[in-house]
Each structure stands twice: as C-alpha cells, then as structure tokens.
C-alpha cells in the first residue's frame, strides 16, 4: 500500500469534542488520592532528571511528578486538555506539549521517568505506545503504567462461578453506542497479557499495586474520604498479588 493510500492515523483527541474532563473529577477525591498514594509509594526516595506524564489530561498528576523530577512534561494529545492545563498548572514550570502516546516527541533515551495513568482503557492494542515509551526511556529508566483491570475481584468471581477462564484479550466496556465513527475505545485489559506486551517492548515488571480497591458509590456515601484513603493505603500492596482492584499500577524498568 502506498503512503497516500494508508489509513489515516487515529488521533486521541476525544476530549476536544466538548467534554470537560476537569468536571469528571468532581466527587472523585478518593480515586484521585488513591492514585497519588500509589505513585508516591512507587517513587518514594527517588529523584529523576526528566519526566513525562503521557496522556496526563489537564495536569492532575504532573504537579505530583514535579516533586520527584527536575523537569516534567505534560504530554497530552487533546488541545482542550492543554488549555485547561494552562489554568491548572499556572505558576509552575511544568512543560505542556501536544503529543500522542504512539508518537512521542522526545529523543531516544531522553527521559528517565514516564507515567501513563488512565490512558490504557482507551488503547485496545498498545504495541505502538509501549514501543514509544521504551524508545524515549533511558536504559534503567522507570515507567509507571496504570491498567484498567478486567480481572478484578468481581469479574474473577463471576467467571469462576460460570466455569470460564478470563479473556486474555481486551474487553470493551462501552455502555452506550459510540457517537462518532472514530470514537475512542473504552476497554479493560487482562493484566498478564499487558505485562507480556510490555516485556516484549523491553519494559520489565518490577512491582505492581492494586489501586482504587474501595471504589464503590455506596462506600463513598457512608465512609469519609480520609478513612477510605487510609484503608486504601494498607490494601494496595497485599491485594496486588491477586490483581484485586479495578486499577493496577505497574512499575517497569527499561532493560
């Protein structure tokens, strides 16, 4: 196929279609805190020169990375999100750049820390994204990748009861019909499959944490956020062995 006839590259710009992602985080203080607890635990006591938060939206976690890295880039494909980041990151030195995860604009080995949180649920086939992360990460560098986990406790229990094995391939969790022909995917992943894909890209699993283990609207209504986060902090490490929660944070090292 000639270059002119190749299908156009799909751009992850769904948040440029009138959706205010900053509003999504209203009443999600527990989920935000749970993710910050996980990142702090994985980065504790370490210092990095150059970091990037890939697909980091309006910069929700970029400020946290700045505590651990001398230079942080928010690498986000949506211009709407970058516009929101101008306000959210005002007065900081976080760099804002329009970049997509499968076409990062960094030199080979330029970064020693990369995070990618709440992005994998939009990527059914992450081979290109993992290859790019491996390319721009320095040897021995660290990547923290969050994965929406199809094999969480409730699903594992249901599949076991039905006598079926968990799917190895990504599973669509879209609940309403797509409003655009090129609407971005919403999927959950098999963690073992993702770890194998990462290893094939040269990213080796060091540690993992089970995150947002108490993600329940009922619990959030009756238990104070501070108490939920305190319990979350205790549960993340022991529940990681069984991939219990809906979100798994993987800490990876570039070979």
């Amino acid at each position: 196929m000639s270059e002119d006839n190749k299908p156009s590259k799909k751009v992850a710009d769904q948040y440029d279609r009138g959706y205010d992602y900053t509003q999504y985080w209203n009443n999600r203080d527990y989920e935000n805190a749970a993710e910050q607890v996980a990142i702090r635990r994985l980065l504790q006591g370490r210092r990095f020169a150059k970091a990037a938060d890939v697909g980091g939206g309006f910069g929700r976690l970029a400020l946290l990375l700045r505590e651990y890295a001398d230079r942080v880039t928010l690498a986000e494909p949506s211009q709407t999100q970058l516009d929101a980041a101008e306000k959210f990151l005002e007065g900081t030195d976080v760099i804002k750049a329009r970049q997509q995860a499968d076409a990062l604009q960094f030199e080979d080995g330029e970064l020693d820390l990369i995070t990618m949180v709440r992005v994998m649920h939009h990527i059914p086939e992450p081979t290109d994204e993992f290859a790019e992360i491996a390319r721009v990460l320095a040897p021995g560098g660290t990547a923290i990748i969050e994965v929406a986990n199809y094999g969480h406790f409730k699903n594992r229990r249901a599949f076991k009861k039905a006598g079926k094995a968990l799917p190895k391939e990504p599973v669509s969790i879209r609940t309403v019909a797509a409003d655009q022909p090129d609407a971005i995917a919403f999927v959950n992943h098999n963690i073992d499959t993702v770890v194998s894909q990462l290893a094939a890209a040269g990213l080796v699993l060091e540690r993992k944490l089970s995150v947002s283990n108490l993600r329940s609207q009922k619990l959030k209504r009756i238990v104070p956020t501070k108490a939920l986060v305190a319990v979350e902090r205790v549960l993340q490490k022991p529940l990681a062995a069984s991939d219990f929660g809906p979100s798994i944070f993987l800490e990876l090292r570039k070979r």
Side-chain angles (χ1 to χ4, degrees), residues 12 46 50 56 67 79 81 102 175 236:
R46 301 160 72 183
K50 293 184 179 181
E67 298 178 23
Q79 187 58 53
Q81 289 299 300
D102 60 358
T175 57
Q236 285 186 351

Side-chain angles (χ1 to χ4, degrees), residues 103-124:
L104 296 172
Q105 297 165 28
F106 300 103
E107 299 296 328
D108 294 359
E110 181 178 346
L111 305 174
D112 53 355
L113 172 64
I114 292 174
T115 55
M116 191 168 77
V117 176
R118 291 183 177 257
V119 175
M120 281 290 290
H121 65 290
H122 293 315
I123 308 176

Side-chain angles (χ1 to χ4, degrees), residues 104-230:
L104 296 172
Q105 297 165 28
F106 300 103
E107 299 296 328
D108 294 359
E110 181 178 346
L111 305 174
D112 53 355
L113 172 64
I114 292 174
T115 55
M116 191 168 77
V117 176
R118 291 183 177 257
V119 175
M120 281 290 290
H121 65 290
H122 293 315
I123 308 176
E125 213 306 301
T127 301
D128 291 344
E129 286 79 6
F130 291 168
E132 271 295 88
I133 289 171
R135 179 185 67 79
V136 303
L137 199 60
T142 296
I144 295 175
I145 296 178
E146 180 269 341
V147 183
N149 176 29
Y150 190 73
H152 57 73
F153 173 73
K154 289 183 179 179
N155 275 353
R156 281 190 290 108
R157 183 175 61 180
F159 273 80
K160 184 176 181 180
K161 185 176 181 180
K164 298 180 180 179
L166 281 168
K168 294 184 179 181
E169 300 302 317
V171 177
S172 175
I173 58 167
R174 185 182 289 279
T175 57
V176 295
D179 60 354
Q180 298 280 348
D182 63 342
I184 200 157
F186 285 91
V187 299
N188 281 359
H189 290 269
N190 181 303
I191 299 299
D192 291 338
T193 298
V194 172
V195 170
S196 295
Q197 292 170 322
L198 287 161
L203 299 167
V204 180
L205 180 64
E206 297 277 280
R207 291 185 289 176
K208 63 180 178 178
L209 296 174
S210 180
V211 180
S212 293
N213 299 288
L214 306 174
R215 187 188 295 175
S216 159
Q217 292 302 319
K218 183 177 179 179
L219 273 178
K220 287 164 60 174
R221 284 195 297 269
I222 63 178
V223 181
T225 298
K226 187 174 181 180
L228 286 175
V229 174

Side-chain angles (χ1 to χ4, degrees), residues 15-16 19-22 57-58 76 78-85:
Y15 295 123
D16 288 336
Y19 179 69
D20 185 356
Y21 186 55
T22 62
F58 59 89
E76 164 59 41
S78 165
Q79 187 58 53
T80 298
Q81 289 299 300
L82 291 174
D83 292 344

